[in-house]
Amino acid sequence: MKWSPLTDRTSTGLWLVCITLVLCITGALSRIDNVIYDAAQQNTDRDIPTDVVLVTIDEQSLSSLGRWPWSRRMHAQLIDRLHADGAKAIGFDVMFSETQKEDLAADRLLADAMARAGNVVLPVVIEKVRSNGQLVETLPLSPLVRHAAALGRVHAELDADTIARSITLWEGLDQPVWPHFAQAMLTVAGQLPVPFSRHAPQVPGQGVAMLTKLDQRYINFSTAQRHLHSLSYLQVLRGEFRPDTFRGKLVLVGSTASGMADSLPTPVSGLRQPMAGVEFLANAMVSIRSQTLITRAPLWLSTLLACTLALMPMLWLPYSRTRTGLVATIAFAVLVLAAAMALPVWWCVWVPMSAGLLGLLCAYPIWSWRKLESASQFLDSELSRLQQELGSVGPIALGTDAQAPHSDADPFQRRIDQVRAATALLQHLDQTQRETLAFVSHDIRVPLASAAAQIKSELGEHHPTHKQMVRALAWTEDFLQTSRAQMLRPDSFSELDVMALLHEVADDIYPLAMASALTLTLDLPDEPVWIQGNFDTLSRAMANLLSNALKFSPPGGLVRLSAKLGGGQVHIRVTDQGPGIAPQDIERLFKRFSRLEPRPASLQTGVGLGLYFVQTTVHKHGGTVTVVSKPGETAFVVNLKI
């Protein structure tokens, strides 16, 4: 059975996409997105504008001026003070929806002060008259509305965790006719940026008192590390400030005293110290003016990005080591987290990424699980096949020393037991092979050699029986050498000079070249080249290549042995001027018992193990062997690591 990494990658990708889609659609991690947003806001230090001033109704003012509500005469005096000092716009975060019955003239005085100033903004509140009741718009008194420069909603949007992070620019019953208070302030001051509309948008009417909202934006808070400049209501009322303190500035009047302020928990204030409503309005106003209001990405876009992020580890996990893949995944998750925090602060776009982050972090365990599952299935298949192939010798090989698999063990333990049993069996087979080689080497090869020598002395070396004995002896030697090459172990290698090895092989082959009227040339580096290897098998492999080159070269031909260094390897090349090898024959050239046909009868002396021995030896040394052939020239190239 063939197990494709593409199958595991696809399976892992489907799991990640499903997990991420569910998290995005259900919004299960929205609170984590909020925490990331809040962390970015808390750790960003922005310049505090000097032209925004808060006039706060604080504990000191209440202590000196008496219990709330105060007479509107004092508010009129405050407006006159601010107007006289040159305030550009004055916003009251105080509702004046009912007449002051004990002093009816106070409302008229306040209206007159607003008319003189001409730049006072008053609040509008949209609220329910009772629990689960109808929504109503609460406006200031009619005389105050007539003299107000603008009206705006003092409202903040609370998220599911009851934290105020955003505002709605336009809102109203049936039609979104009311701008936000901060937007109204900037309109009066002539500082509303061009992208923001100064006129209420029109939408299809619903015909009922339904709340209509348009254009929700998130605030880039300016008061995370510092506070806006503020003065006490009492100080301003008494004139205890330097001249031109308010000249050309935006002034917001509101309560900060405990127990009466409309406090809001915000990302930069936290639940323990809520932010006063007037300060929240100031943050919204500064964010609008600096055009740093944050737009939240639509659900389809954030879902697409989250799925893409979750799939990103599939680019490196299939090709990296376990530890490297884990480190790369964590590093990428940290990068995504940093981007999630930076986007709203610096690019004014909020893309919730917690679903993508979780999918990203799930990639490594899911990929590991899929690979483990595939490995387990492959191991089960191979163990079953091994048991079928070796079942006949298994009981004999295992004997009493092998531990049989536990039938009641867990699946992994059963696999471990099966691998242990297979290992014992393979060790037994390896030992049997060594004993067989020893038997062939001594008990068969020695008698064959003795018989060949005796026949030669009695009948002569040209006798057919002697030739058959010599051929049988050569086949036996090829088989033994090939088996030894297959059993080579890299931990038994020693350091050797491959150039000295090549010179020695060339010296041994030289007499054969002379006998065949061939020229053997060497082009080898003068410097030693050291590698880790087995001298005997490498020598025989190179001798096989040179012998083949001599065997297939025409009389008077040239055989060249060369070597060069490059890329951390030594490249050994054996070139002859033989007839060449057909392309269809190259594929089976290094297979066992493979011989090229037709061949001259004089050359059919081997059993087809020579080139197989060369390839086995080179591969055991961590190298490669290739062949390039054309009519009149064939080159075998051996590449070995230095």
Side-chain angles (χ1 to χ4, degrees):
M1 183 180 294
K2 183 177 180 181
W3 301 97
S4 171
L6 181 61
T7 302
D8 293 329
R9 182 188 296 181
T10 303
S11 175
T12 303
L14 289 175
W15 273 100
L16 294 175
V17 168
C18 290
I19 292 173
T20 307
L21 280 176
V22 170
L23 293 176
C24 288
I25 294 174
T26 61
L29 301 180
S30 60
R31 290 181 181 269
I32 297 179
D33 287 317
N34 292 337
V35 170
I36 295 174
Y37 178 92
D38 295 350
Q41 294 294 321
Q42 293 165 6
N43 292 281
T44 303
D45 188 13
R46 300 182 182 87
D47 294 333
I48 295 296
T50 58
D51 62 342
V52 177
V53 182
L54 303 182
V55 176
T56 60
I57 303 171
D58 54 6
E59 284 82 357
Q60 180 185 5
S61 301
L62 289 173
S63 177
S64 299
L65 300 177
R67 295 178 57 187
W68 186 266
W70 295 332
S71 171
R72 290 171 187 168
R73 294 175 181 269
M74 288 191 290
H75 298 314
Q77 294 176 21
L78 183 78
I79 293 174
D80 288 335
R81 290 278 190 189
L82 295 173
H83 175 61
D85 199 55
K88 195 171 189 67
I90 304 169
F92 263 84
D93 184 20
V94 179
M95 280 302 300
F96 302 116
S97 57
E98 297 179 355
T99 59
Q100 189 171 333
K101 297 180 181 180
E102 67 276 8
D103 187 1
L104 297 178
D107 292 332
R108 180 176 53 80
L109 292 175
L110 178 58
D112 292 342
M114 291 172 56
R116 288 191 294 272
N119 60 357
V120 178
V121 180
L122 294 181
V124 174
V125 176
I126 301 177
E127 57 186 350
K128 293 180 180 179
V129 294
R130 61 183 181 275
S131 179
N132 297 323
Q134 184 178 357
L135 289 171
V136 296
E137 295 176 343
T138 303
L139 277 64
L141 296 172
S142 297
L144 302 183
V145 171
R146 285 196 299 270
H147 295 293
L151 299 178
R153 298 172 357 271
V154 284
H155 178 66
E157 299 290 341
L158 297 181
D159 293 329
D161 55 1
T162 68
I163 302 294
R165 300 179 178 88
S166 63
I167 59 172
T168 301
L169 295 183
W170 293 95
E171 194 172 23
L173 297 182
D174 188 34
Q175 288 292 327
V177 297
W178 303 113
H180 193 269
F181 190 88
Q183 190 174 356
M185 280 284 294
L186 292 173
T187 301
V188 171
Q191 297 179 4
L192 186 68
V194 174
F196 293 89
S197 174
R198 290 164 174 76
H199 305 286
Q202 295 295 318
V203 299
Q206 302 180 38
V208 292
M210 297 291 292
L211 185 63
T212 302
K213 298 182 178 184
L214 287 179
D215 205 356
Q216 182 180 3
R217 303 285 190 91
Y218 289 79
I219 299 173
N220 255 321
F221 288 88
S222 299
T223 57
Q225 308 292 336
R226 318 176 201 182
H227 291 285
L228 292 166
H229 180 56
S230 65
L231 282 83
S232 169
Y233 188 105
L234 179 64
Q235 288 179 273
V236 179
L237 188 64
R238 292 177 177 177
E240 297 175 353
F241 55 87
R242 294 180 180 179
D244 296 334
T245 296
F246 300 100
R247 184 165 302 281
K249 297 182 179 178
L250 306 177
V251 182
L252 288 170
V253 182
S255 176
T256 60
S258 300
M260 65 168 292
D262 53 340
S263 300
L264 295 168
T266 66
V268 298
S269 62
L271 295 173
R272 296 182 180 178
Q273 297 178 343
M275 179 182 289
V278 66
E279 187 175 358
F280 182 86
L281 294 175
N283 276 278
M285 185 171 62
V286 171
S287 192
I288 293 174
R289 187 175 63 175
S290 61
Q291 300 189 55
T292 58
L293 281 180
I294 300 166
T295 302
R296 180 164 180 158
L299 179 61
W300 70 266
L301 180 59
S302 59
T303 301
L304 178 62
L305 181 60
C307 292
T308 302
L309 291 175
L311 291 174
M312 287 298 289
M314 292 298 96
L315 296 178
W316 61 78
L317 284 179
Y319 308 105
S320 57
R321 296 179 180 271
T322 304
R323 184 178 302 176
T324 304
L326 177 60
V327 172
T329 303
I330 294 175
F332 185 70
V334 172
L335 182 64
V336 171
L337 179 61
M341 296 177 66
L343 280 174
V345 173
W346 300 108
W347 288 276
C348 302
V349 176
W350 184 19
V351 184
M353 295 187 184
S354 60
L357 268 173
L358 184 60
L360 173 63
L361 294 175
C362 287
Y364 184 81
I366 292 178
W367 171 255
S368 301
W369 162 59
R370 290 304 309 153
K371 295 304 295 181
L372 180 61
E373 187 73 15
S374 295
S376 298
Q377 293 176 4
F378 176 77
L379 184 59
D380 289 342
S381 174
E382 290 300 301
L383 286 173
S384 176
R385 183 181 63 82
L386 185 63
Q387 186 176 9
Q388 292 175 0
E389 293 181 357
L390 304 179
S392 59
V393 298
I396 300 174
L398 294 175
T400 57
D401 296 332
Q403 183 177 358
H406 298 287
S407 59
D408 58 344
D410 62 80
F412 284 99
Q413 185 59 46
R414 284 200 300 271
R415 293 187 183 101
I416 292 173
D417 292 339
Q418 290 172 346
V419 170
R420 184 182 293 115
T423 301
L425 176 58
L426 292 175
Q427 289 174 345
H428 169 78
L429 295 177
D430 181 69
Q431 181 62 31
T432 302
Q433 183 183 25
R434 293 178 183 275
E435 293 173 356
T436 302
L437 286 177
F439 171 76
V440 172
S441 176
H442 184 269
D443 294 351
I444 294 181
R445 187 176 60 172
V446 173
L448 281 176
S450 299
Q454 184 175 357
I455 292 173
K456 179 180 179 181
S457 62
E458 293 180 0
L459 303 177
E461 62 179 350
H462 299 293
H463 193 275
T465 305
H466 177 262
K467 292 181 179 180
Q468 293 295 331
M469 292 298 294
V470 170
R471 181 174 298 177
L473 186 60
W475 289 352
T476 304
E477 185 66 25
D478 287 344
F479 173 76
L480 289 173
Q481 294 298 334
T482 301
S483 299
R484 287 169 179 165
Q486 291 173 334
M487 292 190 296
L488 277 178
R489 296 173 53 185
D491 57 2
S492 66
F493 290 170
S494 59
E495 195 172 38
L496 59 89
D497 178 11
V498 70
M499 293 301 111
L501 180 147
L502 293 177
H503 278 287
E504 184 174 321
V505 171
D507 291 342
D508 294 338
I509 293 295
Y510 185 75
L512 295 178
M514 295 297 294
S516 303
L518 299 172
T519 302
L520 176 62
T521 63
L522 305 182
D523 183 12
L524 304 176
D526 296 330
E527 300 294 330
V529 178
W530 298 96
I531 66 170
Q532 292 290 325
N534 182 281
F535 190 92
D536 293 336
T537 54
L538 272 180
S539 298
R540 186 176 183 87
M542 298 311 304
N544 282 358
L545 291 179
L546 285 172
S547 297
N548 282 346
L550 295 175
K551 188 184 301 182
F552 290 96
S553 293
L558 175 68
V559 175
R560 186 167 180 264
L561 173 63
S562 62
K564 64 178 181 179
L565 305 179
Q569 291 184 324
V570 55
H571 307 283
I572 305 170
R573 190 180 187 94
V574 177
T575 308
D576 64 60
Q577 296 178 336
I581 305 172
Q584 64 272 18
D585 291 334
I586 292 179
E587 297 181 0
R588 59 189 182 91
L589 198 60
F590 295 99
K591 294 182 179 179
R592 286 188 301 176
F593 311 116
S594 176
R595 294 187 298 178
L596 303 185
E597 302 293 347
R599 298 172 62 186
S602 60
L603 299 180
Q604 295 182 12
T605 58
V607 73
L609 291 175
L611 290 179
Y612 176 75
F613 171 82
V614 172
Q615 185 185 59
T616 302
T617 300
V618 173
H619 284 181
K620 286 291 185 176
H621 285 77
T624 59
V625 57
T626 57
V627 60
V628 179
S629 183
K630 61 182 180 180
E633 182 178 292
T634 300
F636 285 83
V637 182
V638 174
N639 305 302
L640 297 174
K641 295 180 181 179
I642 299 177

